[in-house]
Amino acid sequence: MAETTERPAGPGAGLMPRLRSRARSLFPGLLIAATVAMAARFLSLHHGAPVMLLALLLGMAFNFLTEEAEGRCVAGIEFASRTLLRLGVALLGLGITVQQIAALGSGVVALTVAGVAGTITMSLLLSRLVGRRARFALLTGGAVAICGASAALAISSVLPQGPTKERDTVFTVIGVTALSTVAMVAYPLVAAGLGLNDLQAGIFLGATIHDVAQVVGAGYSISQEAGDTATVVKLMRVALLVPVVVGLSLVFASRRDGADRTPLPIPFFVLGFCALVALGSTGLVPEAARQTVLEASRWCLVIAIAALGMKTSLKKLKDVGRSAVVVICGLTVALAVGVLAVIEAGLV
C-alpha cells in the first residue's frame, strides 16, 4: 500500500478561514452602523439638517446594542468607530492641494496657522480654569480650531483611552456641529453688517466656521468669490490637522511605558492623508476619481460617527457638565473675534 504523505500547510493556508470568520463577526455591527448612516443621509438631504449630527443622534438610540460586551454587533461597531474613521480622515487628503495652500498668500496662511495654534492654547488655559482635563481641551480646541467633527474624531483616535474619552468626543461633535449651523446663518449677517467685501468675508467664514459643509453653505450664500475663498481657507485649516495629530501622537507615545510603545507613533492614516495631498497636487487624478474618493471619505466618517453614537450613553453624556459648554462656546466666540480683528486691521 502506497504511503500518503500529508503536505505541511503553507503560511497562508489558514488566511481565508480567518478572514471569513472576521467578516462574519464584523458584519452585523457594520450593517447597523451603515443603515443608520444612510438614514441620517436621507434625512439630511430632505430636511437640511447636518448629516453628522443626525448620524450621531440616531446612533445613540441604538446604544443598547453595545451594552453587552459579547453582543453580536459590538465588534462591527467598534471597527466602524475606529478603522473606518481613520480611513475617512485619510481619504480627505485628496481634497487639498499644495497649490491651493500657496494661492492663499502668506498673510492668510499666517492667520490660519495662528488661529489654530491660538485656539488650542486658549482651550488648554480655559479648560484648566474651569477644571477640565488637558485631553478634553485638546479635543475641543482642535475641533473648533481645525475642522469640527472630523477633527474631533481624528484627534480622539490618537488620544489615550480613558473613562470619559468617548463621552467627551460625542459632546464635542454635537457642540461644534450645532455651533457651525448657527454660524452658517449668523456669520454672513455679521460680515454684511461690518461691510466686509467678498474676499474678506470669505476669509472670515473659512477661518472661523467649524465644519466644511457649513463653510461652503455660508460662503456661497454671499457670492461666488466669497464661497471660493472660504472653501480654500477652510481646506488650509483641514491640512493643519496633520501636524496637530502627528504632534499629539508623539507626545502621548512618549508618555507610554516601554512595553506599550509602538515603533511608529505617527498614525498610518496621517501618512495616508499626506500621501493623498501629494498625489492630488500632481494634477494626475481625474476629477471623477477625486470626487468618488471624497464621497467615500464622507460615507466612512458618517458611518463612523453613527457607530460612535451607538457606543455613547445619553445618561453619561449629561454628566459632561456646564463647564464644557462654556469652553466650546468661549473658543468659538474668541476665534471669530480674533479673525475679525485681524481683517479689520487690514493685516490680510
Side-chain angles (χ1 to χ4, degrees):
M1 182 180 292
E3 291 186 4
T4 58
T5 58
E6 190 173 319
R7 292 184 180 180
L15 179 60
M16 290 307 297
R18 287 199 300 271
L19 288 177
R20 284 195 293 267
S21 175
R22 178 64 171 163
R24 282 196 297 268
S25 68
L26 295 180
F27 181 75
L30 281 174
L31 178 63
I32 189 66
T35 302
V36 170
M38 287 188 286
R41 188 70 177 267
F42 176 84
L43 292 173
S44 176
L45 290 174
H46 287 78
H47 299 285
V51 65
M52 288 286 200
L53 183 60
L54 287 172
L56 187 59
L57 296 177
L58 289 174
M60 290 171 68
F62 292 87
N63 172 252
F64 64 90
L65 294 174
T66 60
E67 289 179 350
E68 296 183 11
E70 302 300 324
R72 289 186 60 198
C73 295
V74 171
I77 291 171
E78 188 69 27
F79 178 87
S81 68
R82 293 194 179 193
T83 304
L84 283 187
L85 160 64
R86 297 183 177 199
L87 176 61
V89 173
L91 295 179
L92 278 177
L94 204 58
I96 304 169
T97 67
V98 174
Q99 293 86 344
Q100 287 174 326
I101 296 172
L104 292 175
S106 58
V108 177
V109 172
L111 171 64
T112 306
V113 173
V116 170
T119 301
I120 294 176
T121 301
M122 183 178 176
S123 182
L124 290 166
L125 297 174
L126 186 56
S127 296
R128 185 170 184 177
L129 186 64
V130 298
R132 310 297 304 194
R133 298 182 66 188
R135 294 176 189 178
F136 175 84
L138 294 170
L139 190 60
T140 54
V144 170
I146 303 172
C147 54
S150 300
L153 295 172
I155 292 171
S156 175
S157 71
V158 298
L159 292 178
Q161 290 296 328
T164 64
K165 177 181 173 180
E166 289 171 359
R167 182 198 72 188
D168 291 345
T169 302
V170 169
F171 164 79
T172 301
V173 169
I174 292 174
V176 294
T177 304
L179 290 170
S180 287
T181 304
V182 172
M184 180 177 65
V185 176
Y187 284 10
L189 299 176
V190 172
L194 293 174
L196 302 183
N197 60 38
D198 288 351
L199 177 62
Q200 292 172 325
I203 294 171
F204 168 57
L205 299 175
T208 56
I209 298 179
H210 308 324
D211 286 315
V212 175
Q214 281 83 345
V215 168
V216 172
Y220 287 107
S221 71
I222 296 176
S223 71
Q224 182 73 32
E225 182 184 0
D228 291 345
T229 303
T231 301
V232 175
V233 173
K234 182 60 186 178
L235 291 177
M236 170 64 181
R237 289 169 69 194
V238 175
L240 292 175
L241 182 63
V242 173
V244 170
V245 171
V246 169
L248 292 177
S249 301
L250 294 172
V251 167
F252 287 108
S254 67
R255 294 182 181 180
R256 297 191 185 108
D257 295 332
D260 295 331
R261 291 185 183 179
T262 57
L264 183 67
I266 301 174
F268 281 104
F269 76 90
V270 174
L271 300 178
F273 183 99
C274 294
L276 286 177
V277 170
L279 177 62
S281 299
T282 65
L284 299 177
V285 180
E287 181 60 21
R290 191 178 78 90
Q291 291 300 328
T292 299
V293 170
L294 293 177
E295 182 66 13
S297 170
R298 285 188 284 270
W299 273 111
C300 286
L301 292 175
V302 174
I303 293 171
I305 204 167
L308 185 64
M310 294 175 191
K311 294 169 61 179
T312 304
S313 167
L314 195 58
K315 294 179 181 178
K316 294 179 181 178
L317 188 60
K318 70 178 183 179
D319 296 334
V320 73
R322 295 180 182 177
S323 61
V325 178
V326 170
V327 171
I328 201 166
C329 291
L331 293 175
T332 298
V333 172
L335 179 61
V337 171
V339 170
L340 281 174
V342 171
I343 293 174
E344 291 289 348
L347 299 177
V348 292

